[in-house]
Amino acid sequence: MKDLSETSSIHENILQKILPNYVCGTNVDICSTCKAALSKEKVPLMATYNGFSYPIIPYDLPTLNLVMLILRLWVIV
């Protein structure tokens, strides 16, 4: 993806804090917003470590097939 970049060794301390399975020396793909926070040694606002989670998808929401998805995107643009 265009917005993703890799972490570096300067981010290791904070990554060890917020990612329980993080292995030192491993690069993680993160967005520019998260990278800016990590560079300031802060936990990104939308990190699961801060309690962020995506809302549960309602059971009555119909699933979109590929054709419906493309049509919906075409209408938005």
Side-chain angles (χ1 to χ4, degrees):
M1 292 191 118
K2 182 180 177 183
D3 187 39
L4 296 181
S5 61
E6 289 186 345
T7 57
S8 64
S9 60
I10 63 169
H11 304 116
E12 284 192 350
N13 289 337
I14 192 76
L15 288 173
Q16 287 177 329
K17 177 180 177 182
I18 64 175
L19 298 175
N21 297 327
Y22 177 73
V23 176
C24 288
T26 305
N27 289 329
V28 179
D29 289 332
I30 56 173
C31 71
S32 59
T33 304
C34 291
K35 191 167 188 174
L38 292 177
S39 295
K40 296 175 187 174
E41 295 192 22
K42 297 190 180 225
V43 177
L45 289 176
M46 297 188 76
T48 55
Y49 185 83
N50 278 340
F52 175 80
S53 66
Y54 285 102
I56 298 172
I57 298 172
Y59 70 91
D60 57 342
L61 187 67
T63 57
L64 292 176
N65 61 32
L66 186 57
V67 173
M68 290 173 62
L69 182 61
I70 291 171
L71 287 174
R72 182 165 291 196
L73 290 174
W74 185 74
V75 170
I76 292 173
V77 176

Coordinates of all heavy atoms in Angstrom, one line a residue:
M1 N 0.8 -1.2 0.0 CA 0.0 0.0 0.0 C 0.9 1.2 0.0 O 2.0 1.2 0.5 CB -0.9 0.0 1.2 CG -2.0 -1.0 1.2 SD -3.1 -0.7 2.5 CE -4.6 -0.5 1.6
K2 N 0.3 2.3 -0.5 CA 1.1 3.5 -0.7 C 1.5 4.2 0.7 O 2.5 4.7 0.8 CB 0.2 4.5 -1.4 CG 0.8 5.9 -1.7 CD -0.1 6.7 -2.5 CE 0.4 8.1 -2.7 NZ -0.5 9.0 -3.4
D3 N 0.6 4.1 1.7 CA 0.8 4.8 2.9 C 1.7 4.0 3.9 O 2.1 4.5 4.9 CB -0.5 5.1 3.6 CG -0.4 6.0 4.8 OD1 0.5 6.9 4.8 OD2 -1.1 5.8 5.7
L4 N 2.0 2.8 3.6 CA 2.7 1.9 4.6 C 4.2 2.1 4.4 O 4.7 2.2 3.3 CB 2.3 0.5 4.5 CG 0.9 0.1 4.8 CD1 0.7 -1.4 4.6 CD2 0.5 0.6 6.2
S5 N 4.9 2.1 5.6 CA 6.3 2.1 5.6 C 6.8 1.2 6.7 O 6.0 0.8 7.6 CB 6.9 3.5 5.7 OG 6.5 4.1 6.9
E6 N 8.1 0.8 6.7 CA 8.6 -0.1 7.7 C 9.1 0.7 8.9 O 9.6 1.8 8.8 CB 9.7 -0.9 7.1 CG 9.3 -2.0 6.1 CD 10.4 -2.9 5.7 OE1 11.6 -2.6 5.9 OE2 10.1 -3.9 5.1
T7 N 9.0 0.0 10.1 CA 9.6 0.6 11.3 C 11.1 0.4 11.2 O 11.6 -0.4 10.4 CB 9.1 -0.1 12.5 OG1 9.3 -1.5 12.4 CG2 7.6 0.1 12.7
S8 N 11.8 1.0 12.1 CA 13.3 0.8 12.2 C 13.7 0.6 13.6 O 12.8 0.5 14.5 CB 14.0 2.1 11.6 OG 13.7 3.2 12.4
S9 N 15.0 0.5 13.9 CA 15.5 0.1 15.2 C 15.1 1.2 16.2 O 15.0 0.9 17.4 CB 17.0 -0.1 15.2 OG 17.6 1.1 14.7
I10 N 14.9 2.5 15.8 CA 14.5 3.5 16.8 C 13.2 3.3 17.4 O 12.8 3.9 18.4 CB 14.7 4.9 16.2 CG1 13.7 5.1 15.0 CG2 16.1 5.2 15.7 CD1 13.5 6.5 14.6
H11 N 12.3 2.5 16.8 CA 11.0 2.2 17.2 C 10.9 1.0 18.1 O 9.8 0.7 18.7 CB 10.0 2.1 16.1 CG 10.0 3.2 15.1 ND1 10.5 3.1 13.8 CD2 9.7 4.5 15.3 CE1 10.4 4.2 13.2 NE2 9.9 5.1 14.1
E12 N 12.0 0.3 18.3 CA 11.9 -1.0 19.0 C 11.4 -1.0 20.5 O 10.6 -1.8 20.9 CB 13.3 -1.7 19.0 CG 13.6 -2.3 17.6 CD 14.8 -3.2 17.6 OE1 15.5 -3.3 18.6 OE2 14.9 -3.9 16.6
N13 N 11.8 0.1 21.2 CA 11.3 0.1 22.6 C 9.8 0.2 22.7 O 9.2 -0.5 23.5 CB 12.0 1.3 23.3 CG 13.4 1.1 23.6 OD1 13.9 0.0 23.6 ND2 14.2 2.2 23.8
I14 N 9.2 1.1 22.0 CA 7.8 1.2 22.0 C 7.0 0.0 21.4 O 6.0 -0.4 21.9 CB 7.3 2.6 21.4 CG1 5.8 2.9 21.7 CG2 7.5 2.6 19.9 CD1 5.6 3.4 23.1
L15 N 7.6 -0.6 20.3 CA 7.0 -1.7 19.7 C 7.0 -2.9 20.7 O 6.0 -3.7 20.8 CB 7.7 -2.1 18.4 CG 7.5 -1.2 17.3 CD1 8.4 -1.6 16.1 CD2 6.1 -1.2 16.8
Q16 N 8.0 -3.1 21.5 CA 8.1 -4.1 22.5 C 7.0 -3.9 23.6 O 6.4 -4.9 24.1 CB 9.4 -4.2 23.2 CG 10.5 -4.8 22.3 CD 11.9 -4.8 23.0 OE1 12.2 -3.9 23.8 NE2 12.7 -5.8 22.6
K17 N 6.7 -2.7 23.8 CA 5.6 -2.4 24.8 C 4.2 -2.7 24.3 O 3.4 -3.2 25.0 CB 5.7 -0.9 25.2 CG 4.7 -0.4 26.2 CD 4.9 1.1 26.5 CE 3.8 1.6 27.4 NZ 3.9 3.0 27.6
I18 N 4.0 -2.3 23.0 CA 2.6 -2.4 22.6 C 2.3 -3.7 21.8 O 1.1 -4.0 21.6 CB 2.2 -1.2 21.7 CG1 3.0 -1.1 20.4 CG2 2.3 0.1 22.5 CD1 2.6 0.1 19.5
L19 N 3.3 -4.4 21.3 CA 3.1 -5.7 20.6 C 3.7 -6.8 21.4 O 4.9 -7.0 21.5 CB 3.8 -5.6 19.2 CG 3.3 -4.5 18.2 CD1 4.2 -4.5 17.0 CD2 1.9 -4.8 17.9
P20 N 2.8 -7.6 22.0 CA 3.3 -8.7 22.9 C 4.2 -9.7 22.2 O 5.1 -10.3 22.8 CB 2.0 -9.3 23.4 CG 0.9 -8.9 22.5 CD 1.4 -7.6 21.9
N21 N 4.0 -10.0 20.9 CA 4.8 -11.0 20.2 C 6.0 -10.4 19.4 O 6.5 -11.0 18.5 CB 3.9 -11.8 19.3 CG 2.9 -12.6 20.2 OD1 3.2 -13.0 21.3 ND2 1.7 -12.8 19.6
Y22 N 6.3 -9.1 19.6 CA 7.3 -8.4 18.8 C 8.7 -9.0 19.0 O 9.1 -9.2 20.2 CB 7.3 -6.9 19.0 CG 8.4 -6.2 18.3 CD1 8.2 -6.0 16.9 CD2 9.5 -5.8 18.9 CE1 9.2 -5.4 16.2 CE2 10.5 -5.1 18.2 CZ 10.3 -4.9 16.8 OH 11.3 -4.3 16.1
V23 N 9.4 -9.3 18.0 CA 10.8 -9.8 18.1 C 11.7 -8.7 17.6 O 11.5 -8.1 16.5 CB 10.9 -11.0 17.1 CG1 12.4 -11.5 17.2 CG2 10.0 -12.1 17.5
C24 N 12.7 -8.3 18.5 CA 13.6 -7.3 18.1 C 14.3 -7.5 16.8 O 14.6 -8.7 16.5 CB 14.7 -7.2 19.2 SG 14.1 -6.5 20.7
G25 N 14.4 -6.5 16.0 CA 15.0 -6.6 14.7 C 14.0 -6.8 13.6 O 14.4 -6.8 12.4
T26 N 12.8 -7.1 13.9 CA 11.7 -7.4 13.0 C 11.1 -6.0 12.5 O 10.8 -5.2 13.3 CB 10.6 -8.2 13.6 OG1 11.2 -9.4 14.1 CG2 9.6 -8.6 12.5
N27 N 11.0 -5.9 11.2 CA 10.3 -4.7 10.7 C 8.8 -4.9 10.6 O 8.4 -6.0 10.3 CB 10.8 -4.3 9.3 CG 12.3 -3.8 9.3 OD1 12.7 -3.2 10.3 ND2 13.0 -4.1 8.2
V28 N 8.1 -3.9 11.0 CA 6.6 -3.9 11.0 C 6.1 -2.8 10.0 O 6.6 -1.7 10.0 CB 6.1 -3.6 12.4 CG1 4.6 -3.6 12.4 CG2 6.6 -4.6 13.4
D29 N 5.2 -3.2 9.1 CA 4.6 -2.2 8.2 C 3.6 -1.4 9.0 O 2.6 -2.0 9.6 CB 3.9 -2.9 7.0 CG 5.0 -3.5 6.1 OD1 6.1 -2.9 6.0 OD2 4.6 -4.5 5.4
I30 N 3.7 -0.1 9.0 CA 2.8 0.8 9.7 C 2.5 2.0 8.8 O 3.2 2.4 7.9 CB 3.4 1.3 11.0 CG1 4.7 2.0 10.9 CG2 3.5 0.2 12.0 CD1 5.3 2.6 12.1
C31 N 1.4 2.7 9.1 CA 1.0 3.9 8.4 C 1.8 5.1 8.9 O 2.4 5.0 9.9 CB -0.5 4.1 8.5 SG -1.0 4.7 10.2
S32 N 1.7 6.1 8.1 CA 2.5 7.3 8.4 C 2.1 7.9 9.8 O 2.9 8.5 10.5 CB 2.5 8.3 7.3 OG 1.1 8.7 7.1
T33 N 0.8 7.9 10.1 CA 0.3 8.4 11.3 C 0.9 7.7 12.5 O 1.3 8.3 13.5 CB -1.2 8.4 11.4 OG1 -1.7 9.1 10.2 CG2 -1.8 9.0 12.6
C34 N 0.8 6.3 12.4 CA 1.4 5.5 13.5 C 2.9 5.7 13.6 O 3.5 5.7 14.7 CB 1.1 4.0 13.3 SG -0.7 3.7 13.5
K35 N 3.6 5.8 12.5 CA 5.0 6.0 12.5 C 5.4 7.3 13.2 O 6.4 7.4 13.9 CB 5.6 5.9 11.1 CG 7.1 5.8 11.0 CD 7.6 5.5 9.7 CE 9.1 5.2 9.7 NZ 9.6 4.7 8.4
A36 N 4.6 8.3 12.9 CA 4.9 9.6 13.6 C 4.8 9.5 15.1 O 5.6 10.0 15.8 CB 3.9 10.7 13.0
A37 N 3.7 8.8 15.5 CA 3.6 8.6 17.0 C 4.7 7.8 17.6 O 5.3 8.1 18.6 CB 2.2 7.9 17.3
L38 N 5.1 6.7 16.9 CA 6.2 5.8 17.4 C 7.5 6.6 17.4 O 8.3 6.4 18.3 CB 6.3 4.6 16.5 CG 5.2 3.6 16.5 CD1 5.5 2.5 15.5 CD2 5.0 3.0 17.9
S39 N 7.7 7.5 16.4 CA 8.9 8.3 16.4 C 9.0 9.2 17.6 O 10.1 9.6 18.0 CB 9.0 9.1 15.1 OG 9.2 8.1 14.0
K40 N 7.9 9.6 18.2 CA 7.8 10.4 19.4 C 7.8 9.6 20.6 O 7.6 10.1 21.7 CB 6.6 11.4 19.3 CG 6.7 12.4 18.2 CD 5.4 13.1 18.1 CE 5.3 14.0 16.9 NZ 4.0 14.7 16.8
E41 N 8.0 8.3 20.4 CA 7.9 7.3 21.5 C 6.5 7.3 22.2 O 6.4 7.2 23.4 CB 9.0 7.4 22.5 CG 10.4 7.1 21.9 CD 11.5 7.0 22.9 OE1 11.2 6.8 24.1 OE2 12.6 7.2 22.4
K42 N 5.5 7.5 21.4 CA 4.1 7.5 21.9 C 3.4 6.3 21.3 O 3.7 5.9 20.2 CB 3.4 8.8 21.6 CG 4.0 10.0 22.3 CD 3.2 11.2 22.1 CE 3.9 12.3 22.8 NZ 3.1 13.1 23.7
V43 N 2.3 5.8 22.0 CA 1.5 4.8 21.4 C 0.5 5.4 20.5 O -0.1 6.4 20.8 CB 0.7 4.1 22.6 CG1 -0.2 3.0 22.0 CG2 1.7 3.5 23.6
P44 N 0.4 4.9 19.2 CA -0.6 5.5 18.3 C -2.0 5.4 18.9 O -2.4 4.5 19.6 CB -0.5 4.5 17.1 CG 0.9 3.9 17.2 CD 1.2 3.8 18.6
L45 N -2.8 6.5 18.6 CA -4.1 6.6 19.1 C -5.0 5.4 18.8 O -5.8 5.0 19.6 CB -4.8 7.9 18.7 CG -4.2 9.2 19.3 CD1 -4.9 10.4 18.6 CD2 -4.4 9.2 20.8
M46 N -4.9 4.9 17.5 CA -5.8 3.9 17.1 C -5.1 2.5 17.2 O -5.4 1.6 16.5 CB -6.3 4.1 15.7 CG -7.1 5.4 15.6 SD -7.9 5.7 14.0 CE -9.2 4.5 14.1
A47 N -4.3 2.3 18.2 CA -3.7 1.0 18.5 C -4.6 0.2 19.4 O -5.2 0.7 20.3 CB -2.3 1.2 19.2
T48 N -4.6 -1.1 19.2 CA -5.3 -2.0 20.1 C -4.8 -1.9 21.5 O -5.6 -2.1 22.4 CB -5.3 -3.4 19.6 OG1 -3.9 -3.9 19.5 CG2 -6.0 -3.6 18.2
Y49 N -3.6 -1.5 21.7 CA -3.0 -1.3 23.0 C -3.8 -0.3 23.8 O -3.9 -0.3 25.0 CB -1.5 -1.0 22.9 CG -0.8 -0.9 24.2 CD1 -0.3 -2.0 24.8 CD2 -0.6 0.4 24.8 CE1 0.4 -1.9 26.0 CE2 0.1 0.5 26.0 CZ 0.6 -0.7 26.6 OH 1.3 -0.6 27.7
N50 N -4.3 0.7 23.1 CA -5.1 1.8 23.6 C -6.6 1.4 23.8 O -7.4 2.3 24.1 CB -5.0 3.1 22.8 CG -3.7 3.9 23.1 OD1 -3.1 3.7 24.1 ND2 -3.4 4.7 22.2
G51 N -6.9 0.2 23.4 CA -8.3 -0.2 23.5 C -9.1 -0.1 22.2 O -10.3 -0.4 22.2
F52 N -8.4 0.3 21.1 CA -9.1 0.5 19.9 C -9.5 -0.9 19.3 O -8.8 -1.9 19.4 CB -8.3 1.2 18.8 CG -8.9 1.2 17.5 CD1 -9.9 2.2 17.2 CD2 -8.6 0.3 16.5 CE1 -10.5 2.3 16.0 CE2 -9.2 0.4 15.3 CZ -10.1 1.4 15.0
S53 N -10.7 -1.0 18.8 CA -11.2 -2.2 18.1 C -12.2 -1.8 17.1 O -12.9 -0.8 17.3 CB -11.7 -3.2 19.0 OG -12.9 -2.8 19.6
Y54 N -12.2 -2.5 16.0 CA -13.3 -2.2 15.0 C -14.6 -2.6 15.5 O -14.7 -3.6 16.3 CB -13.0 -3.0 13.7 CG -11.8 -2.4 12.9 CD1 -10.6 -3.0 12.9 CD2 -12.0 -1.3 12.1 CE1 -9.5 -2.5 12.2 CE2 -11.0 -0.7 11.4 CZ -9.7 -1.3 11.4 OH -8.7 -0.8 10.7
P55 N -15.7 -1.9 15.2 CA -17.0 -2.3 15.7 C -17.4 -3.6 15.1 O -17.0 -4.0 14.0 CB -17.9 -1.2 15.2 CG -17.1 -0.2 14.4 CD -15.7 -0.7 14.4
I56 N -18.2 -4.4 15.8 CA -18.7 -5.6 15.4 C -19.7 -5.4 14.2 O -20.5 -4.5 14.2 CB -19.4 -6.4 16.5 CG1 -18.4 -6.7 17.6 CG2 -20.1 -7.6 16.0 CD1 -19.1 -7.2 18.9
I57 N -19.5 -6.2 13.2 CA -20.4 -6.0 12.0 C -21.8 -6.5 12.4 O -21.9 -7.7 12.8 CB -19.8 -6.8 10.8 CG1 -18.5 -6.3 10.4 CG2 -20.8 -6.7 9.6 CD1 -17.7 -7.1 9.4
P58 N -22.8 -5.7 12.2 CA -24.2 -6.2 12.5 C -24.6 -7.4 11.7 O -24.3 -7.5 10.5 CB -25.1 -5.0 12.1 CG -24.1 -3.8 12.0 CD -22.8 -4.4 11.6
Y59 N -25.3 -8.3 12.4 CA -25.6 -9.6 11.8 C -26.6 -9.4 10.6 O -26.6 -10.2 9.7 CB -26.2 -10.6 12.8 CG -27.6 -10.1 13.3 CD1 -28.8 -10.6 12.7 CD2 -27.8 -9.3 14.4 CE1 -30.0 -10.2 13.1 CE2 -29.0 -8.9 14.8 CZ -30.1 -9.3 14.2 OH -31.4 -8.9 14.6
D60 N -27.4 -8.3 10.6 CA -28.4 -8.1 9.6 C -27.8 -7.3 8.4 O -28.6 -7.0 7.5 CB -29.6 -7.4 10.2 CG -29.3 -6.1 10.8 OD1 -28.1 -5.9 11.2 OD2 -30.2 -5.3 11.0
L61 N -26.6 -6.9 8.4 CA -26.0 -6.2 7.3 C -25.7 -7.2 6.2 O -25.0 -8.2 6.4 CB -24.7 -5.6 7.8 CG -24.0 -4.6 6.8 CD1 -24.8 -3.4 6.6 CD2 -22.6 -4.2 7.3
P62 N -26.2 -6.9 5.0 CA -26.0 -7.9 3.9 C -24.6 -7.9 3.5 O -23.9 -6.8 3.5 CB -26.9 -7.4 2.8 CG -27.2 -6.0 3.1 CD -27.0 -5.8 4.6
T63 N -24.1 -9.0 3.1 CA -22.7 -9.1 2.5 C -22.7 -8.5 1.1 O -23.7 -8.7 0.4 CB -22.2 -10.5 2.5 OG1 -23.1 -11.3 1.8 CG2 -22.1 -11.0 3.9
L64 N -21.6 -7.8 0.8 CA -21.5 -7.3 -0.6 C -20.7 -8.3 -1.4 O -19.6 -8.7 -1.1 CB -20.8 -6.0 -0.6 CG -21.5 -4.8 0.1 CD1 -20.6 -3.6 0.1 CD2 -22.8 -4.5 -0.6
N65 N -21.3 -8.6 -2.6 CA -20.5 -9.4 -3.5 C -19.6 -8.4 -4.3 O -19.7 -7.2 -4.2 CB -21.3 -10.3 -4.4 CG -22.3 -9.5 -5.3 OD1 -22.0 -8.4 -5.7 ND2 -23.5 -10.0 -5.5
L66 N -18.7 -8.9 -5.1 CA -17.8 -8.1 -5.8 C -18.4 -7.1 -6.8 O -18.1 -5.9 -6.8 CB -16.8 -9.0 -6.6 CG -15.7 -8.3 -7.3 CD1 -14.8 -7.5 -6.3 CD2 -14.8 -9.2 -8.1
V67 N -19.5 -7.5 -7.5 CA -20.2 -6.6 -8.4 C -20.8 -5.4 -7.6 O -20.7 -4.3 -8.0 CB -21.3 -7.4 -9.2 CG1 -22.1 -6.4 -10.0 CG2 -20.6 -8.4 -10.1
M68 N -21.5 -5.7 -6.5 CA -22.1 -4.7 -5.7 C -21.1 -3.7 -5.1 O -21.3 -2.5 -5.1 CB -22.9 -5.3 -4.5 CG -24.2 -6.0 -5.0 SD -25.0 -6.9 -3.7 CE -25.4 -5.6 -2.6
L69 N -19.9 -4.3 -4.7 CA -18.9 -3.4 -4.2 C -18.3 -2.5 -5.2 O -18.1 -1.3 -5.0 CB -17.7 -4.3 -3.6 CG -16.6 -3.6 -3.0 CD1 -17.0 -2.8 -1.8 CD2 -15.5 -4.6 -2.6
I70 N -18.1 -3.0 -6.4 CA -17.6 -2.2 -7.5 C -18.6 -1.1 -7.9 O -18.2 0.1 -8.1 CB -17.2 -3.0 -8.7 CG1 -16.0 -3.9 -8.4 CG2 -16.9 -2.2 -10.0 CD1 -15.6 -4.9 -9.4
L71 N -19.8 -1.4 -8.0 CA -20.9 -0.5 -8.3 C -20.9 0.6 -7.2 O -21.1 1.8 -7.5 CB -22.2 -1.1 -8.4 CG -22.4 -1.9 -9.7 CD1 -23.8 -2.7 -9.7 CD2 -22.3 -1.1 -10.9
R72 N -20.8 0.2 -5.9 CA -20.9 1.2 -4.8 C -19.7 2.1 -4.9 O -19.8 3.3 -4.7 CB -20.9 0.5 -3.5 CG -21.0 1.4 -2.3 CD -21.4 0.7 -1.1 NE -22.8 0.3 -1.3 CZ -23.5 -0.1 -0.3 NH1 -23.0 -0.1 0.9 NH2 -24.8 -0.4 -0.4
L73 N -18.5 1.6 -5.2 CA -17.3 2.5 -5.3 C -17.5 3.4 -6.5 O -17.0 4.5 -6.4 CB -16.1 1.6 -5.4 CG -15.7 0.8 -4.2 CD1 -14.5 -0.1 -4.5 CD2 -15.3 1.8 -3.0
W74 N -18.0 2.9 -7.6 CA -18.2 3.7 -8.8 C -19.1 4.9 -8.5 O -18.9 6.0 -9.0 CB -18.7 2.8 -9.9 CG -18.8 3.6 -11.2 CD1 -17.8 4.0 -12.0 CD2 -20.0 4.0 -11.9 NE1 -18.3 4.6 -13.1 CE2 -19.6 4.7 -13.1 CE3 -21.3 3.9 -11.6 CZ2 -20.5 5.2 -13.9 CZ3 -22.3 4.5 -12.4 CH2 -21.9 5.1 -13.6
V75 N -20.2 4.7 -7.8 CA -21.2 5.7 -7.5 C -20.5 6.8 -6.6 O -20.7 8.0 -6.7 CB -22.4 5.1 -6.8 CG1 -23.3 6.2 -6.2 CG2 -23.2 4.3 -7.8
I76 N -19.7 6.4 -5.6 CA -19.0 7.3 -4.7 C -18.1 8.2 -5.5 O -18.0 9.4 -5.2 CB -18.3 6.5 -3.6 CG1 -19.3 5.8 -2.7 CG2 -17.4 7.5 -2.8 CD1 -18.7 4.9 -1.7
V77 N -17.3 7.7 -6.4 CA -16.4 8.5 -7.2 C -17.1 9.3 -8.1 O -17.2 10.4 -8.2 CB -15.4 7.6 -7.9 CG1 -14.4 8.4 -8.8 CG2 -14.7 6.7 -7.0

